[in-house]
Amino acid sequence: MVLVLSAPALAEDATFPPDSAWSLHGQTTYQLQTHGSFESPYEGTNSFQSRSETRGSFTATVFLGRRLWTGGEAYVNVEAIAGQGLSRVLGLAAPPNGETYRVDSTELKANLARLFLRQTFALGDKVETQEDEENRLAGRVPSHRLVVTVGKVSGTDIFDDNAYAHDPRTQFNNWSLWANGAWDYPADTRGYTWGLAVEWIRGPWSARLGFFMEPKEANGLEFDHDLAHAHGDVLEVAHRHALGGRPGAVRILGFWNHARMGVYRDALAASPTSPDVTSTRAPGREKYGFGLNVGQEIAPHVGAFLRAGWNDGKTEAWAFTEVERTVMLGVSLDGALWKRPDDAFGVGIAWNGVNADHRDYLAASGLGFMLGDGRLNAAAENVIDVFYRFAPVRFFAVSAEVERFTNPAFNRDRGPVTVWGLRLHANF
């Protein structure tokens, strides 16, 4: 038997809307966050500041898409960014602003966020429709299909999706709630990378495989072009289902990163006090891990979600967070419950931790690219994130948010601290 991949023209059908040739969207998001002073017997180079502070961030994005041929689409996103994260996005394992991405400049800068091609191959005759949205053209797609994406993207565009906790511009803002904090997903400082992803989709089942570039330095903007020794691989299997007639999805993810990382235990062996993990870096070091992601409608307009993640934590954190194990869960309520269908309310809780090698390194005054209090009385960093999104019109929303951190940077000696936030978001 021979399997033939093709991209046939889909037959015209009056029951389906015509396929769109273009897609154009835009968004702007402004966030203002503040916290008061909190208990801190000491601070290190990478500590969250114990004195009160207020910081803001701004992003604006244009999303442009074009249908090239049957099954073929091209997309480009240009993004302008400015602002500062609280404490320069240091001192918390799971920072509170999902828009800062460790960018710390008040000067407005434009950059190419995404540039990619997407090709869909039909593997069957049945079709379904999809709505026009950011980086997606309206029209018909095969129900059974193979989708190939190549170019500059964010790994979270394709993997680790969750209907209730995935977008820091409209949902939860905390890094360990909108993504799996233990997945050190390949990305530059701004959260993007170059790579290739292949998706197989058939009815409720889907599988995704990705190969992405890693930065040359931890949290760096420049990519490592030695692809034999520097790349991130990720595999995800997902199933959509209905429980009692209510939709849900389960996703299982595995990843295997290769980069010029240092090793925590080697750094401690070389210098038991004030170790430097960067001095132990070598090409081809590995980090692997797993993730579970569940989203489930539990009542009309009420959804529950859960993520759990783990990575081996022997090599240094490289691109996302310094979290090595995480469990997060929460609920999200659609405003239709109180006759405001564009509003939303959410409550999420995350427990984040590290393994023994990373813990001992931080306790010995070691520094990561985000953490380092100079000492460590180890405990899990816990965060509660609560938000309300008020949308007076469909294209504009104002969100109020509060995030409560216990044991910031895995350190029982510091905190707790409460971060208050205001978010303005517009889209077209």
Side-chain angles (χ1 to χ4, degrees):
M1 182 178 68
V2 178
L3 175 64
V4 178
L5 298 180
S6 61
L10 299 175
E12 294 295 334
D13 189 327
T15 63
F16 292 112
D19 296 339
S20 296
W22 291 91
S23 175
L24 176 63
H25 292 270
Q27 75 82 32
T28 61
T29 304
Y30 176 75
Q31 304 218 38
L32 186 69
Q33 294 188 325
T34 186
H35 73 85
S37 59
F38 62 92
E39 183 178 353
S40 175
Y42 53 85
E43 290 189 11
T45 303
N46 288 353
S47 289
F48 196 69
Q49 295 179 12
S50 59
R51 66 180 183 274
S52 61
E53 58 176 335
T54 301
R55 295 289 183 268
S57 68
F58 171 80
T59 65
T61 316
V62 175
F63 306 86
L64 178 64
R66 169 66 172 163
R67 194 179 302 278
L68 302 177
W69 50 74
T70 301
E73 303 159 12
Y75 296 89
V76 60
N77 298 174
V78 178
E79 196 159 70
I81 56 176
Q84 294 179 312
L86 293 170
S87 298
R88 297 180 297 119
V89 201
L90 299 174
L92 293 172
N97 184 344
E99 284 277 87
T100 52
Y101 286 101
R102 299 174 294 277
V103 175
D104 189 27
S105 173
T106 56
E107 180 182 350
L108 187 65
K109 298 179 181 179
N111 68 89
L112 179 66
R114 297 178 181 86
L115 176 66
F116 64 93
L117 295 173
R118 179 187 295 143
Q119 178 65 52
T120 300
F121 297 95
L123 301 178
D125 296 330
K126 293 183 179 180
V127 297
E128 57 191 52
T129 59
Q130 62 182 19
E131 299 297 323
D132 177 60
E133 61 180 43
E134 296 171 0
N135 293 328
R136 192 171 76 175
L137 287 158
R140 297 160 296 166
V141 294
S143 299
H144 185 196
R145 60 191 183 273
L146 190 72
V147 182
V148 179
T149 302
V150 59
K152 189 177 186 184
V153 296
S154 171
T156 58
D157 293 342
I158 300 168
F159 298 89
D160 195 40
D161 192 15
N162 191 296
Y164 307 107
H166 194 60
D167 184 357
R169 291 168 176 160
T170 61
Q171 299 172 322
F172 294 95
N173 225 342
N174 187 270
W175 287 24
S176 62
L177 286 169
W178 62 260
N180 191 318
W183 176 28
D184 195 11
Y185 71 88
D188 64 9
T189 303
R190 298 187 177 110
Y192 302 106
T193 185
W194 295 87
L196 168 72
V198 179
E199 304 173 73
W200 172 83
I201 301 165
R202 183 170 187 175
W205 286 98
S206 60
R208 296 170 176 86
L209 178 64
F211 176 95
F212 301 107
M213 295 182 72
E214 292 279 6
K216 199 170 186 178
E217 303 286 341
N219 186 38
L221 274 174
E222 183 180 352
F223 288 103
D224 193 333
H225 295 277
D226 181 10
L227 297 182
H229 300 100
H231 59 270
D233 307 318
V234 57
L235 172 67
E236 182 182 77
V237 177
H239 183 264
R240 292 182 290 109
H241 60 260
L243 296 179
R246 304 198 181 281
V250 177
R251 297 173 174 85
I252 298 175
L253 178 148
F255 72 92
W256 188 17
N257 292 344
H258 311 258
R260 200 176 63 88
M261 297 178 280
V263 178
Y264 293 123
R265 194 57 63 184
D266 289 352
L268 282 164
S271 177
T273 59
S274 299
D276 179 10
V277 73
T278 66
S279 67
T280 68
R281 288 175 177 171
R285 292 279 174 66
E286 300 177 354
K287 183 189 296 289
Y288 66 91
F290 307 95
L292 171 69
N293 180 335
V294 180
Q296 179 66 52
E297 184 180 84
I298 57 176
H301 309 293
V302 180
F305 54 91
L306 176 146
R307 278 191 182 94
W310 173 92
N311 72 57
D312 68 304
K314 297 183 182 300
T315 51
E316 65 179 306
W318 199 246
F320 186 39
T321 75
E322 295 200 37
V323 173
E324 289 154 359
R325 57 178 182 266
T326 184
V327 176
M328 58 80 76
L329 54 87
V331 294
S332 180
L333 283 67
D334 189 315
L337 285 171
W338 50 95
K339 299 182 180 179
R340 293 200 55 83
D342 296 319
D343 287 13
F345 172 74
V347 179
I349 305 173
W351 297 268
N352 299 312
V354 289
N355 82 344
D357 292 1
H358 194 177
R359 178 200 64 206
D360 293 346
Y361 175 79
L362 293 173
S365 301
L367 298 176
F369 70 80
M370 296 177 70
L371 304 182
D373 288 336
R375 308 181 212 171
L376 186 69
N377 182 6
E381 179 184 283
N382 306 322
V383 58
I384 300 175
D385 188 344
V386 182
F387 77 91
Y388 186 91
R389 187 181 75 234
F390 170 69
V393 290
R394 291 187 63 88
F395 60 85
F396 177 74
V398 180
S399 300
E401 186 170 28
V402 58
E403 300 177 53
R404 176 71 168 178
F405 293 85
T406 306
N407 311 322
F410 314 120
N411 196 344
R412 198 190 309 270
D413 289 342
R414 306 186 74 242
V417 57
T418 301
V419 175
W420 304 87
L422 176 70
R423 178 176 57 195
L424 309 178
H425 176 74
N427 63 278
F428 68 85

